[in-house]
Amino acid sequence: MTHLLPTDRAWTIAASAYDNPDARRLTQALHREQIATYGRADDPEATEPAEFDPPRGAFLLAARADGTALACAGWRTAAPGTAEIKRMYVDPAARGHGLGRLLLAALEADARQQGMARAILETGVKNHAALALYADCGYVPTEPYRAGRDPRINRALSKTLNE
């Protein structure tokens, strides 16, 4: 699928393997950014690529017209009917143009097509842009769903997908 952003740049959003080199590069950039912000983060290499394999999940890459991948995001099945949004990242050079919103909408649509009725996600308290995006897209605070999370760092959010 191709989308035009307000800057008139064409972006292609396509399914990808989680262990694709571009996906790995972007998830590692996300990891470095999280470490710099919070001092710790879940290692994306510890996630099994199969967790994002259809129909139990999906991983997407957004690329410029020249093929350069600058954003990624995925969903995986967390529980029956529940998709967990993971590894949402937009390269700093591509931020501020709605690309995260496009990726999130594509993930939600894919999860809905696979029978998911709810989406959950976790983000950091210092990631103000992400928190604003998720709130604007209908996500609301929910109880933490991962044991051992620090409420001073992590925020769990959820959204009903079948609306």
PDB file of all heavy atoms in Angstrom, residues 45-60:
ATOM      1  N   GLU A  45      16.284  -8.336  20.095  1.00  0.00           N
ATOM      2  CA  GLU A  45      16.852  -9.598  19.619  1.00  0.00           C
ATOM      3  C   GLU A  45      16.315 -10.793  20.412  1.00  0.00           C
ATOM      4  O   GLU A  45      16.387 -11.927  19.959  1.00  0.00           O
ATOM      5  CB  GLU A  45      18.377  -9.563  19.711  1.00  0.00           C
ATOM      6  CG  GLU A  45      19.027  -8.474  18.874  1.00  0.00           C
ATOM      7  CD  GLU A  45      18.862  -8.684  17.385  1.00  0.00           C
ATOM      8  OE1 GLU A  45      18.898  -9.841  16.917  1.00  0.00           O
ATOM      9  OE2 GLU A  45      18.706  -7.675  16.670  1.00  0.00           O
ATOM     10  N   ALA A  46      15.775 -10.537  21.609  1.00  0.00           N
ATOM     11  CA  ALA A  46      15.241 -11.615  22.442  1.00  0.00           C
ATOM     12  C   ALA A  46      13.852 -12.059  21.984  1.00  0.00           C
ATOM     13  O   ALA A  46      13.341 -13.072  22.460  1.00  0.00           O
ATOM     14  CB  ALA A  46      15.187 -11.171  23.903  1.00  0.00           C
ATOM     15  N   THR A  47      13.249 -11.326  21.081  1.00  0.00           N
ATOM     16  CA  THR A  47      11.931 -11.676  20.554  1.00  0.00           C
ATOM     17  C   THR A  47      12.088 -12.637  19.390  1.00  0.00           C
ATOM     18  O   THR A  47      12.843 -12.370  18.457  1.00  0.00           O
ATOM     19  CB  THR A  47      11.181 -10.411  20.084  1.00  0.00           C
ATOM     20  OG1 THR A  47      11.059  -9.513  21.190  1.00  0.00           O
ATOM     21  CG2 THR A  47       9.811 -10.741  19.541  1.00  0.00           C
ATOM     22  N   GLU A  48      11.378 -13.740  19.456  1.00  0.00           N
ATOM     23  CA  GLU A  48      11.398 -14.708  18.361  1.00  0.00           C
ATOM     24  C   GLU A  48      10.705 -14.118  17.135  1.00  0.00           C
ATOM     25  O   GLU A  48       9.572 -13.636  17.243  1.00  0.00           O
ATOM     26  CB  GLU A  48      10.686 -15.996  18.769  1.00  0.00           C
ATOM     27  CG  GLU A  48      11.455 -16.828  19.763  1.00  0.00           C
ATOM     28  CD  GLU A  48      12.766 -17.351  19.188  1.00  0.00           C
ATOM     29  OE1 GLU A  48      12.807 -17.728  17.994  1.00  0.00           O
ATOM     30  OE2 GLU A  48      13.755 -17.364  19.936  1.00  0.00           O
ATOM     31  N   PRO A  49      11.348 -14.124  15.982  1.00  0.00           N
ATOM     32  CA  PRO A  49      10.726 -13.573  14.778  1.00  0.00           C
ATOM     33  C   PRO A  49       9.352 -14.185  14.476  1.00  0.00           C
ATOM     34  O   PRO A  49       8.450 -13.485  13.999  1.00  0.00           O
ATOM     35  CB  PRO A  49      11.729 -13.895  13.671  1.00  0.00           C
ATOM     36  CG  PRO A  49      13.043 -13.951  14.380  1.00  0.00           C
ATOM     37  CD  PRO A  49      12.735 -14.547  15.730  1.00  0.00           C
ATOM     38  N   ALA A  50       9.160 -15.460  14.794  1.00  0.00           N
ATOM     39  CA  ALA A  50       7.894 -16.129  14.501  1.00  0.00           C
ATOM     40  C   ALA A  50       6.713 -15.524  15.250  1.00  0.00           C
ATOM     41  O   ALA A  50       5.560 -15.712  14.851  1.00  0.00           O
ATOM     42  CB  ALA A  50       8.008 -17.615  14.819  1.00  0.00           C
ATOM     43  N   GLU A  51       6.958 -14.759  16.326  1.00  0.00           N
ATOM     44  CA  GLU A  51       5.864 -14.137  17.067  1.00  0.00           C
ATOM     45  C   GLU A  51       5.076 -13.150  16.200  1.00  0.00           C
ATOM     46  O   GLU A  51       3.934 -12.837  16.500  1.00  0.00           O
ATOM     47  CB  GLU A  51       6.393 -13.425  18.316  1.00  0.00           C
ATOM     48  CG  GLU A  51       6.897 -14.382  19.372  1.00  0.00           C
ATOM     49  CD  GLU A  51       7.327 -13.675  20.646  1.00  0.00           C
ATOM     50  OE1 GLU A  51       6.813 -12.573  20.945  1.00  0.00           O
ATOM     51  OE2 GLU A  51       8.179 -14.246  21.347  1.00  0.00           O
ATOM     52  N   PHE A  52       5.707 -12.674  15.132  1.00  0.00           N
ATOM     53  CA  PHE A  52       5.058 -11.713  14.242  1.00  0.00           C
ATOM     54  C   PHE A  52       4.578 -12.353  12.941  1.00  0.00           C
ATOM     55  O   PHE A  52       4.158 -11.642  12.030  1.00  0.00           O
ATOM     56  CB  PHE A  52       6.008 -10.548  13.939  1.00  0.00           C
ATOM     57  CG  PHE A  52       6.337  -9.718  15.146  1.00  0.00           C
ATOM     58  CD1 PHE A  52       7.531  -9.882  15.813  1.00  0.00           C
ATOM     59  CD2 PHE A  52       5.426  -8.799  15.637  1.00  0.00           C
ATOM     60  CE1 PHE A  52       7.841  -9.126  16.940  1.00  0.00           C
ATOM     61  CE2 PHE A  52       5.714  -8.035  16.763  1.00  0.00           C
ATOM     62  CZ  PHE A  52       6.922  -8.202  17.418  1.00  0.00           C
ATOM     63  N   ASP A  53       4.644 -13.668  12.853  1.00  0.00           N
ATOM     64  CA  ASP A  53       4.210 -14.347  11.630  1.00  0.00           C
ATOM     65  C   ASP A  53       2.685 -14.403  11.562  1.00  0.00           C
ATOM     66  O   ASP A  53       2.027 -14.712  12.556  1.00  0.00           O
ATOM     67  CB  ASP A  53       4.752 -15.776  11.573  1.00  0.00           C
ATOM     68  CG  ASP A  53       6.240 -15.837  11.275  1.00  0.00           C
ATOM     69  OD1 ASP A  53       6.828 -14.788  10.927  1.00  0.00           O
ATOM     70  OD2 ASP A  53       6.815 -16.927  11.402  1.00  0.00           O
ATOM     71  N   PRO A  54       2.130 -14.120  10.380  1.00  0.00           N
ATOM     72  CA  PRO A  54       0.683 -14.255  10.193  1.00  0.00           C
ATOM     73  C   PRO A  54       0.272 -15.725  10.395  1.00  0.00           C
ATOM     74  O   PRO A  54       1.077 -16.606  10.120  1.00  0.00           O
ATOM     75  CB  PRO A  54       0.466 -13.832   8.738  1.00  0.00           C
ATOM     76  CG  PRO A  54       1.673 -13.012   8.398  1.00  0.00           C
ATOM     77  CD  PRO A  54       2.796 -13.586   9.209  1.00  0.00           C
ATOM     78  N   PRO A  55      -0.898 -15.981  10.858  1.00  0.00           N
ATOM     79  CA  PRO A  55      -1.978 -15.045  11.174  1.00  0.00           C
ATOM     80  C   PRO A  55      -1.948 -14.559  12.625  1.00  0.00           C
ATOM     81  O   PRO A  55      -2.834 -13.833  13.041  1.00  0.00           O
ATOM     82  CB  PRO A  55      -3.241 -15.877  10.930  1.00  0.00           C
ATOM     83  CG  PRO A  55      -2.831 -17.263  11.328  1.00  0.00           C
ATOM     84  CD  PRO A  55      -1.370 -17.378  10.920  1.00  0.00           C
ATOM     85  N   ARG A  56      -0.930 -14.938  13.391  1.00  0.00           N
ATOM     86  CA  ARG A  56      -0.848 -14.571  14.802  1.00  0.00           C
ATOM     87  C   ARG A  56      -0.162 -13.230  15.036  1.00  0.00           C
ATOM     88  O   ARG A  56       0.025 -12.813  16.167  1.00  0.00           O
ATOM     89  CB  ARG A  56      -0.114 -15.667  15.573  1.00  0.00           C
ATOM     90  CG  ARG A  56      -0.850 -16.990  15.559  1.00  0.00           C
ATOM     91  CD  ARG A  56      -0.133 -18.095  16.318  1.00  0.00           C
ATOM     92  NE  ARG A  56       0.565 -17.608  17.486  1.00  0.00           N
ATOM     93  CZ  ARG A  56       1.892 -17.707  17.659  1.00  0.00           C
ATOM     94  NH1 ARG A  56       2.648 -18.260  16.730  1.00  0.00           N
ATOM     95  NH2 ARG A  56       2.460 -17.271  18.756  1.00  0.00           N
ATOM     96  N   GLY A  57       0.215 -12.568  13.959  1.00  0.00           N
ATOM     97  CA  GLY A  57       0.885 -11.290  14.080  1.00  0.00           C
ATOM     98  C   GLY A  57       1.281 -10.756  12.728  1.00  0.00           C
ATOM     99  O   GLY A  57       0.982 -11.348  11.690  1.00  0.00           O
ATOM    100  N   ALA A  58       1.971  -9.632  12.738  1.00  0.00           N
ATOM    101  CA  ALA A  58       2.488  -9.017  11.511  1.00  0.00           C
ATOM    102  C   ALA A  58       3.567  -8.024  11.905  1.00  0.00           C
ATOM    103  O   ALA A  58       3.533  -7.447  12.992  1.00  0.00           O
ATOM    104  CB  ALA A  58       1.384  -8.304  10.742  1.00  0.00           C
ATOM    105  N   PHE A  59       4.516  -7.846  11.019  1.00  0.00           N
ATOM    106  CA  PHE A  59       5.526  -6.810  11.207  1.00  0.00           C
ATOM    107  C   PHE A  59       5.566  -6.004   9.923  1.00  0.00           C
ATOM    108  O   PHE A  59       5.590  -6.569   8.822  1.00  0.00           O
ATOM    109  CB  PHE A  59       6.907  -7.403  11.520  1.00  0.00           C
ATOM    110  CG  PHE A  59       7.807  -6.409  12.179  1.00  0.00           C
ATOM    111  CD1 PHE A  59       7.667  -6.117  13.529  1.00  0.00           C
ATOM    112  CD2 PHE A  59       8.762  -5.720  11.450  1.00  0.00           C
ATOM    113  CE1 PHE A  59       8.468  -5.158  14.144  1.00  0.00           C
ATOM    114  CE2 PHE A  59       9.561  -4.766  12.049  1.00  0.00           C
ATOM    115  CZ  PHE A  59       9.420  -4.487  13.405  1.00  0.00           C
ATOM    116  N   LEU A  60       5.546  -4.687  10.059  1.00  0.00           N
ATOM    117  CA  LEU A  60       5.485  -3.793   8.908  1.00  0.00           C
ATOM    118  C   LEU A  60       6.694  -2.870   8.855  1.00  0.00           C
ATOM    119  O   LEU A  60       7.193  -2.442   9.895  1.00  0.00           O
ATOM    120  CB  LEU A  60       4.218  -2.928   8.974  1.00  0.00           C
ATOM    121  CG  LEU A  60       2.887  -3.655   9.100  1.00  0.00           C
ATOM    122  CD1 LEU A  60       1.751  -2.639   9.223  1.00  0.00           C
ATOM    123  CD2 LEU A  60       2.660  -4.582   7.926  1.00  0.00           C
TER     124      LEU A  60
END
